[in-house]
């Protein structure tokens, strides 16, 4: 069990992927911020590198605040790595970063070991990491979804200081690969079971706090119409939203539903 979800934040993170330009990102960020102004929900917009300054500037006076995140970082802090961006370079631009997204595992060949090094750089640079894990359809069909995800978690966390990860506010996103961009989603109960498996493997990797305190998001074709199924699960703490995060109406619906969960956690006498 996830023990007491009341101690975990409810997070809605937008992953804009390779969409938006420096010319239009600021306005989209401002519109989303205006349409989702729920103080109880932690909101993050993960924009392309070249749009980070525009998004930061657009959100600077937003109240309640919306955090800015990047979608990737290099596994070294600096050096001869043409075209790469390090955690250090994000200082002043972003406070969160996604590592290990399945599209990067697929297209850039990122391994658990490499993802773990990126996680380490994020922590060193004071960025709040969102570690993405998730199984392929063939893994789920073969009954090894939990084993795959547990091994991704253990592989990424290996050698990292659990205290530093906890201090950095590590968040894990469970994103089954077969649900990303497909319109197909996991069932809420399956996402909850995977969230508990992720907490258990983080705890067994030397981070006992993770058993109750590690926030876990669901990602994969989340929309305003299906978010309730995931947030009805006490083990799930929010969503990492791809396609729908570019649509203010969708984000408004998702964050409004997330606010119900956040308020219920803060005041258990209310229902979510
Ligand atoms: P979609 O919401 O477009 O399926 O993408 C999910 C995702 O990959 C978020 O990181």
């Amino acid at each position: 069990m996830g023990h007491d979800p009341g101690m975990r934040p409810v997070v809605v993170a937008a992953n804009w992927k390779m969409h938006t330009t420096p010319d239009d990102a600021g306005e989209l960020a401002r519109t989303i911020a205006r349409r989702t102004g729920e103080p109880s929900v932690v909101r993050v917009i993960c924009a392309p590198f070249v749009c980070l300054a525009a998004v930061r500037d657009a959100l600077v006076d937003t109240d309640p605040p919306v955090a800015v995140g990047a979608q990737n970082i290099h596994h070294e802090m600096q050096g001869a790595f043409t075209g790469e961006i390090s955690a250090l370079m994000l200082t002043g631009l972003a406070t969160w970063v996604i590592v290990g997204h399945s599209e990067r595992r697929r297209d850039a060949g990122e391994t658990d070991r490499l993802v773990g090094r990126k996680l380490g750089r994020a922590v060193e640079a004071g960025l709040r990491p969102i570690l993405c894990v998730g199984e392929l359809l063939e893994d789920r069909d073969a009954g090894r979804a939990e084993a795959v995800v547990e091994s991704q978690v253990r592989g990424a966390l290996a050698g990292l200081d659990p205290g530093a990860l906890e201090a950095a506010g590590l968040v894990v996103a469970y994103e089954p690969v077969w649900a990303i961009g497909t319109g197909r989603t996991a069932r809420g109960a399956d996402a909850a079971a995977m969230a508990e498996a992720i907490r258990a493997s983080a705890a067994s990797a030397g981070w006992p706090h993770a058993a109750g305190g590690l926030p876990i998001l669901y990602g994969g074709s989340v929309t305003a119409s299906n978010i309730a199924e995931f947030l009805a699960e006490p083990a799930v703490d929010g969503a990492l939203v791809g396609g729908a995060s570019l649509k203010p109406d969708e984000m408004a619906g998702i964050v409004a539903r997330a606010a119900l969960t956040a308020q219920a956690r803060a005041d258990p006498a209310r229902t979510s």
Side-chain angles (χ1 to χ4, degrees), residues 12-16 19-20 24-38 41-47 55 58-59 62-67 241-256:
V12 174
N15 176 8
W16 284 356
H19 297 286
T20 71
D24 58 30
E27 191 179 334
L28 179 60
R30 235 189 326 265
T31 305
I32 290 172
R34 194 176 61 241
R35 301 281 312 277
T36 62
E38 298 282 354
V41 178
V42 176
R43 295 169 298 162
V44 190
I45 294 180
C46 299
V55 171
L59 297 177
T62 306
D63 183 28
V66 178
V241 187
S245 75
L246 296 159
K247 301 176 184 161
D249 284 349
E250 290 286 338
M251 285 298 281
I254 292 167
V255 174

Side-chain angles (χ1 to χ4, degrees), residues 13-17 19 98 101-103 130 132 173 175-185 218-223 239-246:
N15 176 8
W16 284 356
K17 306 192 179 182
H19 297 286
I98 295 171
H101 193 281
S102 67
E103 288 154 9
I130 302 176
C132 296
E175 300 205 303
V177 176
W178 47 270
I180 295 178
T182 59
R184 208 179 143 188
T185 64
Y218 168 77
S221 298
V222 169
T223 64
L240 180 55
V241 187
S245 75
L246 296 159

